[in-house]
Amino acid sequence: MRSDAEQNRTRILEVARTALRASSAASLQSIAKAAGVGQGTLYRHFPNREALLLAVYRHDLGELIDAAPALLDQHPPFEALRHWLHRLALYGRIKHGLADALQAATRADLASEHYGPVIAVITLLLESCKQAGEMRTDVDAEELLLLVSFLWRAEADEDWDARSRHLLTLVMDGLRPQHQHSGS
């Protein structure tokens, strides 16, 4: 791809991410205009709305997955896990708003394509926490992902951020080692 074409594609993706965060109903025309490209250029890179949504989804998920090692370098393991789960909640919240658009043709493909890398990152974070003695040892990545999935399913309102932080604190408190043997 020529460098100007790559720059156009990158700019379209950046504008689309911002526009879709503001409204999942953002039109392709408004995205092209904000990116400073014509509709033909947008359609050359993304032949339909779903293709653009998928590209944004994949890019954002890649950034989320790539954030874990840096968080472990910057924070103790338990705090790195908390920060990563909060990012996951924000990511899931944004993508939940796009679920209808993504769901039609691609949900199964996306789930299978990204489930493994997400589980691998959660496992990395969990193992770091366990090795540091900061977390109970009977929790695995799939269980934790299931446990925190409520974070992006909660009703969107002005209290969502505060409520999700509180609920995440409750989950994190339950992961601490002193809860190791509290009933099943």
Side-chain angles (χ1 to χ4, degrees):
M1 190 180 297
R2 295 184 340 238
S3 66
D4 60 331
E6 184 59 38
Q7 290 171 350
N8 284 340
R9 186 179 196 288
T10 300
R11 192 168 49 254
I12 292 166
L13 280 172
E14 289 170 2
V15 168
R17 288 172 70 197
T18 302
L20 292 168
R21 281 188 180 124
S23 170
S24 61
S27 71
L28 293 182
Q29 182 179 2
S30 68
I31 291 169
K33 184 176 180 180
V37 300
Q39 286 185 324
T41 299
L42 185 139
Y43 282 106
R44 258 191 308 283
H45 292 284
F46 308 101
N48 54 47
R49 181 176 179 76
E50 290 75 23
L52 179 59
L53 291 173
L54 283 172
V56 169
Y57 178 94
R58 286 183 173 117
H59 182 269
D60 287 356
L61 189 58
E63 285 185 346
L64 178 67
I65 290 168
D66 293 344
L71 288 170
L72 283 169
D73 288 342
Q74 298 166 2
H75 303 281
F78 201 75
E79 284 306 306
L81 176 63
R82 175 190 291 278
H83 286 297
W84 193 86
L85 289 173
H86 182 70
R87 287 183 181 196
L88 176 65
L90 294 173
Y91 170 81
R93 185 79 194 107
I94 291 164
K95 296 310 174 230
H96 190 68
L98 299 175
D100 291 339
L102 289 169
Q103 195 167 22
T106 58
R107 193 176 99 186
D109 289 342
L110 287 173
S112 64
E113 178 181 343
H114 297 294
Y115 185 76
V118 168
I119 293 298
V121 165
I122 295 172
T123 299
L124 170 72
L125 291 162
L126 290 179
E127 292 306 314
S128 295
C129 289
K130 290 173 186 178
Q131 288 174 7
E134 297 179 337
M135 179 177 205
R136 54 191 294 162
T137 59
D138 63 339
V139 178
D140 69 30
E142 289 180 342
E143 291 169 336
L144 183 57
L145 184 59
L146 180 61
L147 186 61
V148 299
S149 67
F150 69 87
L151 289 170
W152 52 86
R153 298 186 194 295
E155 186 66 33
D157 58 24
E158 65 277 353
D159 296 329
W160 180 85
D161 189 56
R163 187 174 54 235
S164 69
R165 286 179 186 274
H166 176 70
L167 293 171
L168 184 55
T169 296
L170 294 174
V171 169
M172 296 300 291
D173 286 349
L175 295 174
R176 294 210 180 265
Q178 68 266 25
H179 296 287
Q180 185 75 40
H181 300 291
S182 59
S184 308

